[in-house]
Amino acid sequence: DVPSISVDPSHVISRINDNTYGGFTEHMGRCIYGGIYDPGNPLSDENGFRKDVIEALQELKVPVVRYPGGNFVATYHWLDGVGPKDQRPRRRELAWQGYESNEFGTDEFLRWCEVVGTEAFFALNFGTGTLDEALAWVEYCNLSSDTHYANLRRKNGREKPYNVKYWALGNEMWGPWQVGQMTKEDYAKKAYQWAKALKLMDPSIVLILCGETGHSTWDAYVLKECIRWDLHGLGGDMTASLIDMHSIHIYTASKEHVKNAIAPRSAERAIEITASLIDLARIENKVPSSVPRQGICFDEWNVWDPARAPGEEGAEEKYTLSDALAVSVWLNVFIRQSKYISMANIAQSVNVISPLMTTKTGILKQTTWWPLLLFCKYMRGSTVAVHVRCEEYDGPTEPLWIRGTVDTPWLDVSAAIDDQGVLSMAVVNVHETKSFSVDLKGIKGPVDVYTVTGSDVACVNTAEESAVGISETKWDGNGRFEFPKHSLTMLRWTP
Ligand code: AHR
């Protein structure tokens, strides 16, 4: 059987939210200090922000960046990080067992977002933090009133509110490593009460509930308890929900190439299950259709093997071509599931489990940078239906359960049509040794072809040698197209 891929440009499935290409910067390892903030370095601007990092993130058009954690946020007091720098307290940092100078805090991050041209997304301290502190943070960032914390912002040099829209109700509160770990019952109760108060402070904010993997009892429970509409008609608005999105986190990795590249397919199933749990909560709680359906905020995703790159050591992963293909499959998953994805944030944006690494003298773009760049540039607009017919991988997977729940064709495909009417199709051939000559139906030349591959699945980019990058060619659209072994190919044409 000749493998085939059929694409129908008129079969538009759903809009791809630009926030799918979000970032994440945590006070962890060299992400903030030495990553985005490096005062005194000739590569930094007058704020101490690394200009090469800013340019790289602008190239990706990163629309939103999560901050300040991650696990870090569970003991973070935002007031430590505002005001005169010489008066900011130095503290022990418990999540990653380091020290925090607080030299970089709220105003620095929000200024950095403005320079980059991105939106801020703050995570609230659900560990040692109080609701009063959280309310004060929202007031400091968003209110124009003549009140204490809004005035503190003015005193610190910022008249206009920052209008931070996205706020997360804690981070991984289910995790045994988390300071302030909770039961699902305790979390749901607290999250709902905090959400009510936070929306009373600023009804325009978007609140994100802390989920787990999307397919756990925690997810089912907290959704059921918090996605309601009948208890908070405060201010008279009965059409909104306190909770706007549900967050999930998954990292994938395997030492074996095929398992590594296929593992992100488990995230696809997790998204479908989460969407069903959201719908189930709405059905059981009789939430009317006038309340917009809560989307999924996949605010930590990536390839990460904590044994290979431990968190306490800054998690500086060295990514291989196999990892770049896994990231390509991850991104295909988000495009295919765009109907449910309101936001996704690669964890993380610089140095820590990141495609982008800084040195004192420049930046290094890892293997995973190149698929991310292609998707950020081209896979925008709306998802388009594709049908793939090819042989399947039928060996063991990590996690084990994927094989029983999703298809695993050797060619992993998604397609999008942008607002200019250009169609982009991303095809990942995860096979380590075999190329596939494919009958492409619905394609029309001339076609721009972008390929990401390398000599073998283990190759990495170093300061001395870029083993993986993007090569560009053209194709007239006639005959079969050959997708090389272990590669990502992006085809672009105007239908
Ligand atoms: O991104 C690294 C860490 O992974 C985050 O701090 C935490 O939320 C997750 O466990």
Side-chain angles (χ1 to χ4, degrees):
D1 247 16
V2 177
S4 69
I5 301 174
S6 316
V7 53
D8 178 357
S10 67
H11 190 162
V12 169
I13 294 177
S14 54
R15 193 80 196 153
I16 300 162
N17 197 312
D18 277 341
N19 283 349
T20 302
Y21 300 112
F24 171 32
T25 55
E26 174 168 4
H27 285 248
M28 174 181 176
R30 294 193 307 121
C31 182
I32 303 293
Y33 302 107
I36 67 175
Y37 182 68
D38 199 3
N41 190 309
L43 296 171
S44 298
D45 68 9
E46 65 287 0
N47 302 299
F49 303 156
R50 280 286 290 256
K51 288 185 284 191
D52 47 0
V53 171
I54 290 169
E55 279 159 25
L57 297 179
Q58 285 171 337
E59 199 183 355
L60 298 179
K61 295 199 188 76
V62 174
V64 61
V65 180
R66 181 171 179 250
Y67 174 84
N71 296 338
F72 169 81
V73 80
T75 58
Y76 180 61
H77 298 288
W78 70 272
L79 275 163
D80 288 350
V82 297
K85 290 200 177 184
D86 59 359
Q87 289 167 32
R88 297 189 191 173
R90 179 176 163 81
R91 298 209 191 267
R92 269 305 308 286
E93 196 290 299
L94 300 184
W96 308 112
Q97 292 293 298
Y99 294 89
E100 177 54 51
S101 69
N102 283 303
E103 203 185 317
F104 188 96
T106 299
D107 292 292
E108 288 77 23
F109 179 72
L110 293 172
R111 173 89 195 104
W112 179 82
C113 286
E114 287 178 345
V115 175
V116 173
T118 192
E119 245 187 289
F121 164 15
F122 280 163
L124 294 164
N125 177 353
F126 258 55
T128 61
T130 64
L131 174 55
D132 275 341
E133 264 179 280
L135 290 167
W137 205 9
V138 173
E139 181 189 325
Y140 184 92
C141 294
N142 289 2
L143 265 60
S144 51
S145 53
D146 176 14
T147 47
H148 181 74
Y149 291 105
N151 285 333
L152 181 62
R153 181 192 69 235
R154 293 186 183 97
K155 187 171 158 215
N156 290 339
R158 171 77 182 202
E159 176 55 43
K160 264 193 335 179
Y162 291 108
N163 295 323
V164 176
K165 186 170 165 189
Y166 302 105
W167 296 82
L169 298 161
N171 170 73
E172 296 188 354
M173 293 316 299
W174 41 269
W177 51 86
Q178 206 63 242
V179 173
Q181 181 198 1
M182 284 176 201
T183 61
K184 57 188 188 314
E185 291 81 7
D186 287 347
Y187 174 76
K189 206 166 171 182
K190 179 166 167 176
Y192 193 79
Q193 295 308 324
W194 278 43
K196 186 198 308 171
L198 291 159
K199 286 226 167 159
L200 284 169
M201 177 62 82
D202 179 357
S204 71
I205 58 177
V206 167
L207 288 178
I208 295 136
L209 192 66
C210 170
E212 192 181 344
T213 52
H215 52 79
S216 71
T217 313
W218 172 285
D219 292 284
Y221 183 86
V222 301
L223 282 166
K224 171 74 199 315
E225 291 303 304
C226 296
I227 293 203
R228 310 181 158 273
W229 70 287
D230 52 341
L231 301 178
H232 63 90
L234 304 155
D237 185 357
M238 300 298 280
T239 59
S241 159
L242 286 181
I243 303 301
D244 303 289
M245 293 189 219
H246 184 68
S247 138
I248 59 175
H249 294 175
I250 294 179
Y251 293 94
T252 58
S254 170
K255 289 181 185 55
E256 290 170 50
H257 162 66
V258 176
K259 289 181 182 173
N260 189 42
I262 280 182
R265 285 224 165 210
S266 60
E268 182 145 28
R269 198 69 187 113
I271 292 168
E272 292 166 339
I273 294 167
T274 312
S276 300
L277 291 176
I278 290 172
D279 284 353
L280 189 60
R282 290 175 64 98
I283 293 164
E284 289 185 340
N285 292 333
K286 300 189 172 44
V287 177
S289 57
S290 54
V291 176
R293 187 201 222 169
Q294 289 74 10
I296 295 170
C297 178
F298 215 128
D299 54 8
E300 287 187 32
W301 70 268
N302 205 345
V303 177
W304 181 23
D305 178 356
R308 164 170 99 168
E312 294 77 7
E313 290 169 20
E316 299 208 2
E317 278 278 11
K318 292 193 180 38
Y319 286 117
T320 62
L321 173 62
S322 175
D323 299 327
L325 300 182
V327 162
S328 309
V329 174
W330 262 109
L331 292 162
N332 269 348
V333 166
F334 293 137
I335 299 303
R336 287 193 293 262
Q337 299 298 328
S338 63
K339 185 173 172 192
Y340 303 121
I341 297 293
S342 296
M343 192 192 292
N345 306 71
I346 187 166
Q348 300 186 2
S349 292
V350 188
N351 289 335
V352 175
I353 31 176
S354 176
L356 190 66
M357 306 300 287
T358 61
T359 64
K360 278 282 160 214
T361 55
I363 49 177
L364 165 67
K365 289 172 175 166
Q366 299 221 57
T367 57
T368 53
W369 169 267
W370 302 105
L372 184 64
L373 178 65
L374 282 177
F375 275 76
C376 286
K377 272 173 103 164
Y378 300 132
M379 299 296 274
R380 303 241 182 199
S382 300
T383 301
V384 161
V386 284
H387 182 72
V388 183
R389 268 188 49 208
C390 84
E391 285 167 49
E392 289 215 356
Y393 166 74
D394 62 3
T397 54
E398 281 175 34
L400 262 176
W401 57 272
I402 324 176
R403 278 288 302 138
T405 59
V406 298
D407 302 330
T408 50
W410 288 109
L411 299 177
D412 187 278
V413 187
S414 78
I417 190 153
D418 69 17
D419 295 341
Q420 287 67 48
V422 180
L423 208 138
S424 300
M425 186 165 78
V427 181
V428 190
N429 178 1
V430 298
H431 207 294
E432 194 172 346
T433 54
K434 190 168 165 182
S435 300
F436 289 94
S437 176
V438 178
D439 188 8
L440 293 179
K441 300 177 173 145
I443 201 160
K444 187 175 125 226
V447 181
D448 292 327
V449 181
Y450 303 86
T451 312
V452 177
T453 187
S455 55
D456 60 275
V457 292
C459 65
V460 295
N461 286 353
T462 62
E464 293 72 43
E465 204 208 334
S466 274
V468 176
I470 298 174
S471 66
E472 294 184 33
T473 51
K474 297 255 182 229
W475 179 51
D476 63 9
N478 296 320
R480 290 198 200 141
F481 188 91
E482 172 129 334
F483 293 99
K485 63 183 179 184
H486 55 63
S487 67
L488 160 68
T489 307
M490 194 170 286
L491 303 173
R492 277 172 58 75
W493 73 97
T494 305

